[in-house]
Amino acid sequence: MSKYKKLVLPLILVLAVAVVAVFGKTLSTKSAAVKDNRTEVVFWHEMGGPAEKSLMKIVDGFNKSQTKYRVVPKYQGSYDAAIQKILQTHGTGTSPAVFQAFDISAAQMMHSKFTVPVQDFIDKDGFDASKISPVARSFYSNDGKQQAMPFNTSQPVLYYNASLLEKYGITPPPVSPSYSDITRVAKQLYERSHHQVKGMTVQIYGWLLEQAMANAGVGLTNNNDGHTGIPTKATINNGASKEFFEWIRENQKAGDFMNYGSGAMAGTNQTTGFLNGKIGIYIQSSASISQLNKKNKNKLGITYFPHPDGKKANGVAIGGAALWISNDKSKAVQNGAFEFIKYSLKPEVQAQWQKDTGYLALNKDSQQTSILKGLYKQHPESKVPSQQLQEAVPNHFNSGILMEGMQKTRQIEQFAMESIYNGGDITNALKDADKKIDDNLTTTNRANGYH
């Protein structure tokens, strides 16, 4: 036997064994599915890392809770990548039965006509949706129908280093603070630490600008942020936006404001600065709580998103993603998808999801579970984001922005914020943002056939 054959034959044998092992596993799985007559429900999601492990608990729990359906989870990468896959595979055998899509794709998914409103299943099943957060539900509602069901949900909150405030004898801000309440704390912290600690930061992030407008009761676009018609004109250049940026500029001039910039590194750096005691206050997603509680050597304080002076907070919108049901699957598969959604919203399931990930429990009965009561006993501040969510009354301005092209809008908002943070004229920057968003809306609406 030649040297070549001696090398190749063992390699072929190894490959053959590997192929048998792989396909044997696939066939045995399929045989099991046929044997117990379960209907397979393919679920596409974008949860990675620790959140994915928590999500698998929900999937496994559902599969063990009944014998009619089997949910098969498949990770799809980033939110943006998943949306493109969903749109491109619809109507094929590889498309999902139920999928996770992020908040700013809501309008795109509604207009695609690729989904079945979950309201159809709610009505047929008699499911009591009133148990689920009204503000969260309103984000994914349109024409009086629940289009999708909110799932991994967060809101922006304000975090402060309670240990530093105690050290320097500073009175903490109220649970629903005004801009001046936060300025007071930031200035005092900066001065009493002899400029060793910066008082506050607000990341250059369009989502936070949108939330400032929402909390002031104004919209980013006409037609009530898209809830009463297709948006055709941006309205960022408004009094609420100017007041928000004037608040930031006041703190910049006082020296207590730290500008970490924009993007993922800015988010990482501000969190690191906060955990290391270099910055006293910052605003970020409520889903950050788990990370802050695990890595924080200081006492954590949390408040609602701040509101303009002299005005009551209107409430902020949610972030995160929702679960949608595809309309290209059989009724049996669609029913299985809804059963999975219902299971994910059970009080205990939502409570454990909040404890594990920091995402907010959407079922109001979750607050009475031993899971969350135990969490709040250990970390009392963790209850604040849930209170913010519960207290808000849904309206057009705190129910999200139903507009296609939001990714581009976020880029335009970021550019305006960078200009303002670097000393540019506030009004001119906002006017320029409106014009650029208007141009993008015109292009997008024309491409989609909206008139």
Side-chain angles (χ1 to χ4, degrees), residues 205-248:
Y205 183 18
W207 185 54
L208 298 181
L209 170 57
E210 294 159 19
Q211 300 292 2
M213 288 189 284
N215 210 25
V218 301
L220 184 146
T221 74
N222 64 347
N223 293 327
N224 295 308
D225 273 345
H227 290 276
T228 56
I230 300 296
T232 59
K233 188 173 180 58
T235 55
I236 288 182
N237 183 27
N238 59 62
S241 295
K242 291 176 182 177
E243 190 169 359
F244 174 67
F245 287 120
E246 285 166 358
W247 168 56
I248 289 172

Side-chain angles (χ1 to χ4, degrees), residues 51 54 137 139 145 154 253 277 313 345 363:
S54 300
R137 281 189 289 115
F139 196 115
K145 283 190 172 184
S154 61
K253 290 180 178 178
L345 293 170
N363 191 317

Side-chain angles (χ1 to χ4, degrees), residues 241-407:
S241 295
K242 291 176 182 177
E243 190 169 359
F244 174 67
F245 287 120
E246 285 166 358
W247 168 56
I248 289 172
R249 182 154 290 177
E250 176 187 355
N251 287 278
Q252 284 182 312
K253 290 180 178 178
D256 63 74
F257 188 92
M258 171 69 81
N259 179 9
Y260 283 100
S262 61
M265 281 307 299
T268 299
N269 290 339
Q270 70 174 2
T271 300
T272 300
F274 182 79
L275 291 172
N276 291 337
K278 300 298 183 182
I279 187 88
I281 296 170
Y282 81 117
I283 298 173
Q284 193 49 271
S285 166
S286 57
S288 301
I289 291 178
S290 292
Q291 176 190 8
L292 294 177
N293 279 332
K294 288 177 183 176
K295 299 182 178 181
N296 200 352
K297 62 184 178 182
N298 297 306
K299 184 178 178 182
L300 182 65
I302 305 177
T303 76
Y304 299 175
F305 192 97
H307 58 82
D309 288 10
K311 296 179 182 178
K312 183 180 179 182
N314 183 58
V316 290
I318 62 168
L323 299 181
W324 301 73
I325 298 177
S326 299
N327 64 7
D328 63 345
K329 303 303 174 190
S330 68
K331 293 295 183 183
V333 173
Q334 291 177 12
N335 288 334
F338 183 66
E339 288 300 318
F340 173 63
I341 289 174
K342 281 200 310 181
Y343 178 85
S344 73
L345 293 170
K346 285 179 174 289
E348 293 77 12
V349 174
Q350 281 286 299
Q352 190 63 49
W353 177 244
Q354 177 174 330
K355 181 180 179 181
D356 289 347
T357 66
Y359 287 115
L360 299 172
L362 297 176
N363 191 317
K364 65 181 182 181
D365 291 343
S366 297
Q367 302 302 318
Q368 303 307 316
T369 63
S370 59
I371 299 170
L372 287 189
K373 286 183 177 179
L375 174 65
Y376 298 155
K377 184 176 181 179
Q378 185 178 6
H379 300 289
E381 72 283 351
S382 295
K383 193 172 185 177
V384 174
S386 296
Q387 292 172 336
Q388 178 178 248
L389 182 67
Q390 292 166 17
E391 289 181 10
V393 177
N395 54 55
H396 293 317
F397 305 120
N398 62 18
S399 297
I401 303 162
L402 296 183
M403 179 177 75
E404 295 198 39
M406 278 299 297
Q407 290 92 331

